[in-house]
Amino acid sequence: MKLNYQADLICDFTWNVIQQDWLKDVCEKNKWSHKNSPIIWRELLDRGGKGLLLGGYNEFLEHAQLYYDVTSSMTTELMKVIAQENLGTHIEKEHEEEALKTCVNPLQVWITSASAPACYNLIPILTSGEVFGMETEISITLFDNKQAEEHLKSLVMETQDLVSPVLHSVSICTTVEEAFCQARVIVVLDDTTDKEVFTLEDCLRSRVPLCRLYGSLIEKNAHKSVRVIVGGKTFVNLKTVLLMRYAPGIAHNIIAVALGVEGEAKAVLARKLKTTPSYIKDVIIWGNISGNNYVDLRKTKVYRYESAIWGPLHYSRPLLNLIFDSEWVKREFVATLKNLTATGRQFGGILAAHSIATTLKYWYHGSPPGEIVSLGILSEGQFGIPEGIVFSMPVKFENGTWVVLTDLKDTEINEQIMTRMTSDLIQEKLVALGDKIYFQPYQSETELRKKDKKISLPITDDSREGQVSDGRKVGQVKAGGGLQAIEHKDLVPDEHKDLVPDEEKDLITSDTADFQNLSPQTTFEKPQSLEFLNGRW
């Protein structure tokens, strides 16, 4: 009512001063819409006059009385009442704005083992808006143990310094019971442990307690539509299948990142062809992401390759037609990738972060049309893979999910090679869950024959320094009149060193773990080689 009183006063004052025709011209010139409300301005402003910023009600009345000899009969008490009402309205408006801010529902992103180097490299990518989009605000929670709390606090401050427009908040969590609260995205990185492990079986079993804990917390605290992405460089497939086991309600939304291995393969091929890795597409990773896997180049294409044949940007050529040295593909390429996969040193924080971020981007926005993406998912019998294991295979992302590319032609894999990969993954799971005591890698008939031949070598009593029957001790045997050392490593028996038959090496697919070593990680031959697995890197 009191505002109406003021409006009536000003309306009367304005209408008495301004000619209607002139007002109409001003509105048309400035594209204003004028009906009943007045237009108030400082005269001469559009002709170079000095503008005047009016203060409160008293200042406005003084200005009106000085220039137009118009005043108000409103009492001081009434003005105070109006001022109090305006203050209350202002406070209510501020509260409404704060309430609106709380109504904003940012995407809750949780990162486990947040003290790992991969997390440091992942945060800038997530806050850049490239992954979820510039229109999606995110809240990042860094989850780790109490010992890492100071490091996490520094990471929070550095993240805030990014001043990202999509970052709603960043916080830390070291309380297990509060983990994954309302999480929409969970990134599972390599866990660190202070416990030393000296056998492959211990390594496998050590993954179970944490996955069981994570699984129960995800089921209890996370959002029903949560998406879980597992990255890292050790036992990625195993950790993924264990999380599925202990979080069955969201098992369909748990995946393993394979783009890191893809990136390594593309980089090696690009160096050979003297081109850019991003120009190489459709490299397929089959099997165990961090162990026995096969890099399939039969569908691989190279774009923008400088040669006698040239075409537009969308023109590509089969990669195997450009590498004339087939022996390099079969041996040196395999050996290079074996070394990278075995040591884990190449798969550092930058590559891990980029692989995770790219996979998440595809998951939310779709993969490039027509491009093949490798992804570790739970097998449902596609390509003859046994059900119930997490296996890397070719997919495409669309509509917020993935589709397995079962219609690809000429992607059949030799039965023996497939059996070797699936057998290792099945045994990893069985050993981890305690259903088997020892990990027994798959061995072909050729390998068994070589093993029998080696065991039948003559051994003299005076040269025996240890028993070899269990395949796990170190000894020296005398063969052919000289000493021949046979090392039975703690983790990988000696017979697994034998080369696979040549007919298997003639396959176009390449095994990054190499045919000659059948354990899931080719470097787990000595206890000291488990440093990166124990979280020391």
Side-chain angles (χ1 to χ4, degrees):
M1 180 182 69
K2 298 177 177 61
L3 293 177
N4 289 338
Y5 171 82
Q6 286 181 308
D8 290 340
L9 174 65
I10 298 174
C11 246
D12 292 339
F13 150 70
T14 305
W15 205 252
N16 290 333
V17 173
I18 301 174
Q19 297 294 328
Q20 293 190 24
D21 293 340
W22 185 85
L23 176 61
K24 181 179 179 181
D25 294 337
V26 172
C27 290
E28 290 179 354
K29 176 181 177 181
N30 296 282
K31 297 181 180 180
W32 293 341
S33 176
H34 178 270
K35 294 181 180 178
N36 298 321
S37 300
I39 296 177
I40 303 175
W41 70 97
R42 173 68 172 91
E43 291 146 316
L44 304 180
L45 183 61
D46 57 345
R47 288 177 282 172
K50 183 179 179 181
L52 175 65
L53 176 63
L54 300 179
Y57 181 76
N58 289 336
E59 286 80 4
F60 172 74
L61 288 182
E62 291 177 3
H63 176 78
Q65 185 174 12
L66 176 63
Y67 277 85
Y68 304 103
D69 195 24
V70 175
T71 185
S72 171
S73 60
M74 186 182 299
T75 63
T76 301
E77 290 74 15
L78 183 57
M79 285 188 282
K80 288 182 179 180
V81 172
I82 293 175
Q84 191 65 33
E85 288 183 356
N86 290 342
L87 177 62
T89 302
H90 176 71
I91 294 174
E92 289 179 5
K93 185 177 180 181
E94 285 189 334
H95 289 167
E96 289 176 1
E97 290 177 353
E98 290 297 325
L100 287 175
K101 290 181 180 179
T102 60
C103 290
V104 175
N105 189 20
L107 190 69
Q108 300 291 334
V109 180
W110 284 70
I111 305 176
T112 73
S113 303
S115 59
C119 179
Y120 187 86
N121 294 279
L122 179 61
I123 289 176
I125 307 177
L126 295 180
T127 56
S128 68
E130 295 180 6
V131 177
F132 304 109
M134 292 300 298
E135 70 284 354
T136 303
E137 285 193 343
I138 62 173
S139 288
I140 298 177
T141 305
L142 308 176
F143 180 49
D144 213 320
N145 54 43
K146 280 283 186 181
Q147 290 76 11
E149 188 168 3
E150 290 302 318
H151 174 75
L152 296 184
K153 289 180 179 179
S154 300
L155 192 55
V156 166
M157 295 180 63
E158 196 165 353
T159 303
Q160 292 171 337
D161 293 343
L162 295 174
V163 197
S164 168
V166 301
L167 181 62
H168 183 269
S169 65
V170 56
S171 58
I172 64 175
C173 178
T174 57
T175 305
V176 174
E177 292 77 11
E178 300 174 0
F180 312 131
C181 181
Q182 293 302 306
R184 292 294 190 99
V185 176
I186 299 176
V187 179
V188 180
L189 301 178
D190 278 326
D191 55 288
T192 57
T193 177
D194 296 329
K195 182 180 178 180
E196 294 284 354
V197 287
F198 293 100
T199 67
L200 175 60
E201 290 80 6
D202 288 341
C203 292
L204 296 171
R205 296 187 184 106
S206 68
R207 267 55 192 172
V208 175
L210 194 60
C211 289
R212 183 190 296 117
L213 175 64
Y214 283 176
S216 62
L217 291 172
I218 291 171
E219 286 275 320
K220 178 182 177 182
N221 298 337
H223 193 274
K224 294 180 180 180
S225 62
V226 64
R227 303 183 184 191
V228 182
I229 183 167
V230 183
K233 57 190 176 185
T234 56
F235 302 111
V236 175
N237 295 56
L238 176 63
K239 289 186 292 187
T240 305
V241 78
L242 289 175
L243 286 173
M244 293 176 176
R245 176 185 179 90
Y246 296 116
I250 52 97
H252 60 286
N253 263 2
I254 304 178
I255 61 175
V257 179
L259 291 185
V261 184
E262 264 194 42
E264 290 177 342
K266 290 177 180 178
V268 174
L269 293 168
R271 286 192 290 269
K272 175 66 174 178
L273 294 173
K274 294 181 174 55
T275 186
T276 304
S278 62
Y279 295 167
I280 300 176
K281 307 291 185 182
D282 300 343
V283 173
I284 302 176
I285 308 299
W286 298 91
N288 192 344
I289 296 168
S290 52
N292 276 345
N293 52 57
Y294 287 84
V295 179
D296 192 345
L297 306 179
R298 288 173 290 182
K299 295 295 180 181
T300 306
K301 298 186 289 290
V302 182
Y303 292 81
R304 303 171 66 177
Y305 184 65
E306 296 185 7
S307 65
I309 302 176
W310 189 260
L313 295 179
H314 63 271
Y315 175 74
S316 65
R317 299 176 64 186
L319 178 134
L320 292 175
N321 291 350
L322 300 175
I323 299 180
F324 303 103
D325 186 1
S326 60
E327 287 300 312
W328 180 88
V329 176
K330 297 174 185 177
R331 301 187 184 278
E332 187 175 339
F333 175 65
V334 171
T336 301
L337 290 181
K338 169 197 171 183
N339 183 61
L340 294 177
T341 303
T343 61
R345 292 182 183 273
Q346 176 75 5
F347 198 79
I350 295 177
L351 179 57
H354 183 267
S355 304
I356 292 169
T358 303
T359 305
L360 276 173
K361 178 182 178 181
Y362 291 169
W363 201 349
Y364 274 84
H365 303 290
S367 54
E371 189 169 322
I372 299 174
V373 179
S374 300
L375 184 69
I377 58 175
L378 189 66
S379 170
E380 298 178 353
Q382 306 95 327
F383 305 105
I385 303 168
E387 297 183 11
I389 61 174
V390 171
F391 201 89
S392 179
M393 61 184 75
V395 305
K396 66 176 179 180
F397 285 91
E398 61 181 11
N399 302 322
T401 186
W402 61 87
V403 178
V404 181
L405 300 177
T406 54
D407 56 346
L408 288 177
K409 297 180 181 179
D410 302 323
T411 56
E412 295 79 10
I413 297 179
N414 178 278
E415 182 179 355
Q416 184 172 318
I417 299 174
M418 179 67 77
T419 303
R420 175 183 283 114
M421 289 191 293
T422 57
S423 175
D424 285 355
L425 287 170
I426 291 171
Q427 291 208 60
E428 277 188 7
K429 181 179 176 181
L430 293 176
V431 171
L433 295 174
D435 295 329
K436 286 181 70 69
I437 298 177
Y438 296 111
F439 183 90
Q440 297 175 337
Y442 170 81
Q443 299 178 62
S444 66
E445 294 182 1
T446 304
E447 292 162 342
L448 289 173
R449 287 196 299 269
K450 287 188 176 183
K451 174 184 176 182
D452 294 339
K453 182 178 180 181
K454 184 175 293 186
I455 292 176
S456 65
L457 291 174
I459 301 176
T460 58
D461 293 337
D462 58 344
S463 66
R464 186 186 300 271
E465 295 183 6
Q467 299 296 324
V468 297
S469 59
D470 62 354
R472 287 176 174 265
K473 297 182 180 180
V474 178
Q476 285 187 328
V477 296
K478 184 177 291 185
L483 287 176
Q484 178 181 355
I486 300 180
E487 296 184 359
H488 299 278
K489 311 282 186 175
D490 288 334
L491 296 177
V492 181
D494 182 63
E495 60 269 17
H496 300 161
K497 296 293 184 180
D498 295 338
L499 294 175
V500 75
D502 291 337
E503 59 268 17
E504 288 189 17
K505 286 189 175 179
D506 288 335
L507 294 171
I508 297 178
T509 52
S510 302
D511 182 3
T512 61
D514 201 5
F515 294 110
Q516 55 183 310
N517 194 322
L518 304 180
S519 65
Q521 279 288 349
T522 57
T523 52
F524 299 164
E525 297 178 353
K526 298 181 180 179
Q528 57 266 32
S529 66
L530 292 172
E531 289 184 359
F532 84 88
L533 186 146
N534 285 320
R536 294 182 176 179
W537 289 17

